[in-house]
Amino acid sequence: MFDKILIANRGEIAVRIIRACKELGIRTMAVYSQADSNSLHIQLADEAVCIGPGPSTESYLKIDRLISAAEIGDVEAIHPGYGFLSENAHFAEVCENCKIKFIGPPSSAIRAMGDKVAARATMRKAGVPVVPGSDGPVTDEQEAFTVVRKIGYPVIIKAAGGGGGRGMRIAHNDPALIKGLYTARSEAERAFNNPNIYIEKYIENPRHIEFQILGDNKGRIVHLGERDCSIQRRHQKLIEESPSPVMNADLRKKMGKAAIKAAEAVKYVNAGTVEFIYSEEKKEFYFIEMNTRVQVEHPVTEEVTGIDLVKEQLRIAAGEPLGYDQKDITFDRAAIECRINAEDPFNNFQPCPGKIEFMHVPGGLGVRVDKHAYSGYVIPPDYDSMIGKLICYGKDRREALDRMARALDEFVIRGIKTTVPLHQIILKDPNFRRGRYSTAFIERLLTTPQPIVPPKEQ
Ligand code: ADP
């Protein structure tokens, strides 16, 4: 096992990785920007080094500064967390060349999945079902019309280098398609430095169901079941749960097999997530992308399977084989995660950085809070608005949901607006309680004729 690693990240995931390292006797080196000098991960790590000013382009995304820090700290490996450089094949390659172990998949696997157009082609070849759509990038209107003639409206235009729900356009007719092509392309160029776009059939009211996989250096790959991440705002996840309310043994077997096939096709090693869109109407699932890193929502799987995913990442990166087979993995519990974001859910999810005047976190049996925020913490405006995650498990879905509802009621965060009041509403929603929801759930909830009155300030 490693003696010392560097964590090239911030926030709750840096804290999460430090915790796993402590339990494994690994020393940690944190990095931070000038905007993060009051961050909890600095306090918890064995060492911390400032790598630049607040904007991530000047700090957390600066490969040369991270590598210098790693050399000064004499670390053996780097954990990239999620976001930032975690899916940057070049960064993984630089680490490989500098003889620093990148705690994640090989750069070749990141590259193979990083371009979504190329990933679709690889999946098709491997026999994994993909959403019907274009075979390659769509370069002009004629090509777009040819694809649409084949698959029909509605369609979704997506960026080959896309991520974070950005750069997508839905089109129901020709004028919207033409407009969407140009806006999606310019947004893709600006946001991802890659103007390539492609077209998929837009599956209406689908579920987002993803599979957690783990692969070791010996070529063994297992899946750890699914997470239903259909509760989203602007194509970004807010609530994740496992098992999915629509899952059954047969479907899990089929989707799990497809997820493993997807990972095998790119010789995947370490933790990853294969994402699918599932149509309840057609009972069909389609690959949309693979995330080649640990996910925000990984605790849901940890609570269901009892497997510590970050420790597994560290063990695999250190060359240890998986100590178990698919049949050894059991799904005995239900778990749910609510993302606690510093944003106003009743005002278009406007980010609300600022000082947390007071914070009280829930506790008790089956309640886990992964966070870096605390009373008095000032949320910098430079980064993602997520300040923590509340995860609850139960013997079944009902207990997990009841526990989540009671934990949310205990949560007190003063000084900023958060997503807690929206989560409270969702947890009481009869359709959500019955497991009847799709990716359109939140938009419908927030645009119902009865305007939703936010609960009183705590
Ligand atoms: P990103 O990498 O930007 O997160 P994804 O491809 O993972 O993009 O898609 C994000 C979300 O967008 C999905 O969870 C789903 O809600 C929606 N989405 C993506 N593709 C489709 C599709 N073909 N049909 C319907 N919804 C889709």
Side-chain angles (χ1 to χ4, degrees), residues 25-279:
I26 302 169
R27 286 183 298 140
T28 51
M29 181 178 203
V31 294
Y32 64 97
S33 75
Q34 285 161 4
D36 265 341
S37 53
N38 65 351
S39 185
L40 190 62
H41 74 290
I42 303 174
Q43 306 296 322
L44 295 181
D46 294 307
E47 279 170 51
V49 56
C50 181
I51 49 163
S56 51
T57 48
E58 295 298 311
S59 47
Y60 298 106
L61 292 172
K62 278 262 181 224
I63 294 180
D64 51 348
R65 292 191 192 165
L66 290 163
I67 297 292
S68 300
E71 278 169 359
I72 292 165
D74 197 19
V75 303
E76 297 156 79
I78 295 183
H79 197 307
Y82 52 67
F84 297 131
L85 293 169
S86 60
E87 292 182 291
N88 184 311
H90 175 61
F91 180 53
E93 222 160 47
V94 172
C95 292
E96 284 160 15
N97 292 340
C98 293
K99 305 274 174 275
I100 300 167
K101 184 75 197 166
F102 178 80
I103 302 169
S107 55
S108 54
I110 302 178
R111 192 158 279 131
M113 289 297 187
D115 184 309
K116 291 179 168 189
V117 173
R120 275 167 63 81
T122 311
M123 292 304 104
R124 239 185 267 118
K125 217 168 119 196
V128 177
V130 300
V131 189
S134 55
D135 290 335
V138 172
T139 50
D140 58 35
E141 291 173 21
Q142 277 322 311
E143 260 180 45
F145 286 132
T146 309
V147 176
V148 171
R149 240 172 270 132
K150 217 168 60 192
I151 61 174
Y153 285 113
V155 297
I156 181 165
I157 307 161
K158 297 167 84 170
R166 283 181 304 164
M168 294 191 278
R169 292 284 179 288
I170 297 156
H172 291 266
N173 49 44
D174 291 355
L177 177 69
I178 295 168
K179 192 167 167 233
L181 284 178
Y182 291 103
T183 49
R185 184 170 296 127
S186 64
E187 196 170 322
E189 175 127 52
R190 250 182 297 123
F192 313 113
N193 213 9
N194 175 359
N196 282 352
I197 51 167
Y198 63 106
I199 294 178
E200 277 179 2
K201 176 82 185 166
Y202 181 64
I203 314 287
E204 288 181 278
N205 305 319
R207 297 185 84 110
H208 172 120
I209 299 179
E210 59 185 33
F211 272 71
Q212 176 69 54
I213 65 114
L214 278 178
D216 67 13
N217 295 288
K218 304 266 181 302
R220 184 187 296 183
I221 300 181
V222 295
H223 77 77
L224 277 69
E226 80 284 358
R227 295 182 288 257
D228 193 318
C229 312
S230 307
I231 303 292
Q232 307 181 342
R233 55 119 174 74
R234 287 197 219 108
H235 303 302
Q236 283 179 290
K237 302 159 191 168
L238 260 193
I239 297 182
E240 303 94 353
E241 65 169 318
S242 186
S244 165
V246 296
M247 195 48 67
N248 58 51
D250 184 46
L251 183 61
R252 182 179 284 146
K253 211 168 163 181
K254 275 196 201 129
M255 292 184 79
K257 218 168 145 186
I260 290 174
K261 221 194 256 179
E264 280 171 350
V266 295
K267 298 194 170 43
Y268 203 83
V269 180
N270 216 287
T273 299
V274 183
E275 297 191 335
F276 298 101
I277 283 283
Y278 177 67
S279 163

Side-chain angles (χ1 to χ4, degrees), residues 207 231 239 241 245 336 396-406 408-409 423-437 441:
R207 297 185 84 110
I231 303 292
I239 297 182
E241 65 169 318
I336 175 167
D396 52 25
R397 184 170 190 261
R398 186 175 176 168
E399 189 176 56
L401 262 51
D402 288 343
R403 194 165 271 161
M404 178 57 83
R406 114 30 213 155
L408 284 165
D409 288 348
H423 287 308
Q424 287 174 303
I425 292 169
I426 296 172
L427 263 288
K428 288 192 186 89
D429 183 273
N431 284 321
F432 181 74
R433 298 285 313 193
R434 283 189 210 113
R436 287 199 206 134
Y437 60 83
F441 178 88

